Amino acid sequence: MFIEKAMADRARLLTYAYILLYIALSSGQIFFNKWVLSSKEINFPYPLGLTLLHMVFSSVLCFILTKVFKVMKVEDGMTLEIYATSVVPIGAMFAMTLWLGNTAYLYISVAFAQMLKAIMPVAVFILGVAAGLEVMSCRMLLIMSVISFGVLVASYGEININWIGVVYQMGGVVGEALRLIFMEILVKRKGLKLNPISMMYYVSPCSALCLFIPWIFLEKPKMEAHAWNFPPLVLTLNSLCTFALNLSVFLVISHTSALTIRVAGVVKDWVVVLLSALLFADTKLTVINLFGYGIAIAGVAAYNNHKLVKEASRRSSDEAQSVESVPLTATTNSNG
């Protein structure tokens, strides 16, 4: 009894450690990217090039870990048809999300960027309804309205608002929403479930290619004009942190659930908003900012709770169906 309790406590502590690691790495990566891109710090104003480097780095590391050292396993079931119709759109949207999201840091503060990201459930729900994956209801309409109102209030309270940065960030939000929709289609309609490592293995090269093409035309000439002025050590560490963040997502999901990542993400967003006011001079939070963001986060929490209830209901329904099928299977076997 004592040993079982000790093992349960150890497992619980390990789970909390993974969650804290995810929050720390996710927050740190946002600050690191801002620090690298900022003209007042590292001054590497090439968000497309930085994102491309992340994807190439992840592709190479995933290949080494899964195929060379075989430390991790890539899940089976991938076909050319699934890759072309599902993975390629996911990779393209992932590239779009990271590119536009990083570009937004050149124009708006980290805190305001996080506040705008709170609109994500609204974008996911609207696109989900359009794709037939979600059903419109009065409850969901109310939740979406609360989130939208909160983001509007937070935006109204922003002192130094830059609409170019807002457009980039909203483009990143739309890209992420489309990525999540394509992933849901991959699971529900194609029946393929991939863990984060497998997803990185398949998606990273595709995202790298999607980023490489615009990089040739948009940023390569600028980088060549500045004689490829970039700090290799800093960029390598930045890419390594990105990969470590993806691994932490894998650890949290494997020990808890995807919903835990969403809840931890809400905590991370608050950490980023509050810490950015201390770390960056361009971040000035107002009472209206925080009040609006609080409203939006309350809506996000309600959305996560709704998804939790929905997933629990679906799981119990699946279990009930499997229980009902047992006598039928037993009867068939006995007669055979």
Side-chain angles (χ1 to χ4, degrees):
M1 186 70 179
F2 177 77
I3 297 175
E4 289 179 358
K5 186 178 184 300
M7 290 179 64
D9 290 340
R10 183 176 178 276
R12 196 177 297 111
L13 285 172
L14 195 61
T15 300
Y16 288 141
Y18 288 144
I19 293 171
L20 288 174
L21 178 65
Y22 162 73
I23 293 173
L25 285 172
S26 186
S27 306
Q29 185 62 35
I30 291 170
F31 295 141
F32 202 170
N33 287 347
K34 175 70 174 180
W35 186 60
V36 169
L37 294 167
S38 175
S39 60
K40 297 177 182 178
E41 305 294 343
I42 295 298
N43 192 24
F44 184 78
Y46 309 110
L48 186 51
L50 183 65
T51 309
L52 173 60
L53 184 63
H54 290 168
M55 291 299 99
V56 172
F57 193 87
S58 291
S59 300
V60 173
L61 265 187
C62 276
F63 180 81
I64 292 173
L65 290 174
T66 57
K67 299 300 181 182
V68 179
F69 293 111
K70 297 182 179 178
V71 178
M72 297 169 181
K73 183 185 176 184
V74 177
E75 294 180 19
D76 299 325
M78 182 62 65
T79 64
L80 183 61
E81 187 269 335
I82 292 176
Y83 193 90
T85 58
S86 296
V87 176
V88 170
I90 290 171
M93 291 305 103
F94 191 42
M96 174 182 167
T97 299
L98 297 176
W99 170 20
L100 297 182
N102 283 331
T103 304
Y105 291 143
L106 297 175
Y107 301 94
I108 59 178
S109 68
V110 170
F112 188 45
Q114 291 304 120
M115 291 178 187
L116 292 176
K117 280 182 184 177
I119 202 75
M120 179 71 67
V122 178
V124 173
F125 180 71
I126 291 173
L127 291 170
V129 171
L133 299 171
E134 297 280 359
V135 179
M136 182 65 73
S137 65
C138 294
R139 180 186 176 85
M140 288 303 294
L141 195 60
L142 177 61
I143 292 173
M144 297 302 112
S145 299
V146 169
I147 296 173
S148 302
F149 177 71
V151 172
L152 283 174
V153 172
S155 302
Y156 180 77
E158 181 67 12
I159 297 173
N160 301 315
I161 190 166
N162 185 309
W163 290 107
I164 297 176
V166 172
V167 170
Y168 274 120
Q169 186 62 26
M170 287 296 100
V173 166
V174 171
E176 177 66 3
L178 285 170
R179 183 183 76 88
L180 293 173
I181 292 298
F182 286 133
M183 285 183 68
E184 194 163 351
I185 291 173
L186 179 66
V187 172
K188 285 188 174 180
R189 296 183 182 173
K190 303 295 173 63
L192 184 62
K193 293 183 179 180
L194 299 175
N195 62 41
I197 295 300
S198 299
M199 187 60 73
M200 283 170 60
Y201 176 82
Y202 289 119
V203 169
S204 294
C206 178
S207 296
L209 181 61
C210 291
L211 290 164
F212 181 72
I213 296 170
W215 174 78
I216 291 175
F217 299 100
L218 298 177
E219 285 188 356
K220 185 173 179 287
K222 297 178 185 177
M223 294 175 76
E224 288 177 338
H226 289 82
W228 293 83
N229 182 27
F230 63 93
L233 180 60
V234 171
L235 294 181
T236 302
L237 286 174
N238 185 262
S239 300
L240 192 59
C241 285
T242 302
F243 188 79
L245 172 59
N246 289 324
L247 281 181
S248 72
V249 172
F250 170 71
L251 289 172
V252 173
I253 290 178
S254 62
H255 283 79
T256 56
S257 66
L259 183 72
T260 304
I261 279 287
R262 291 203 291 265
V263 175
V266 172
V267 177
K268 178 265 296 181
D269 290 342
W270 271 111
V271 170
V272 170
V273 167
L274 297 176
L275 280 182
S276 61
L278 301 174
L279 297 175
F280 298 104
D282 65 347
T283 302
K284 291 180 174 56
L285 297 176
T286 65
V287 175
I288 298 177
N289 266 151
L290 295 175
F291 177 68
Y293 189 54
I295 295 173
I297 288 299
V300 172
Y303 173 79
N304 285 336
N305 181 66
H306 176 78
K307 296 293 284 186
L308 173 63
V309 172
K310 191 174 178 181
E311 287 173 13
S313 176
R314 186 188 299 121
R315 198 178 298 115
S316 62
S317 176
D318 291 342
E319 288 174 358
Q321 287 179 3
S322 64
V323 169
E324 288 175 3
S325 66
V326 170
L328 179 62
T329 305
T331 306
T332 305
N333 290 339
S334 62
N335 289 339

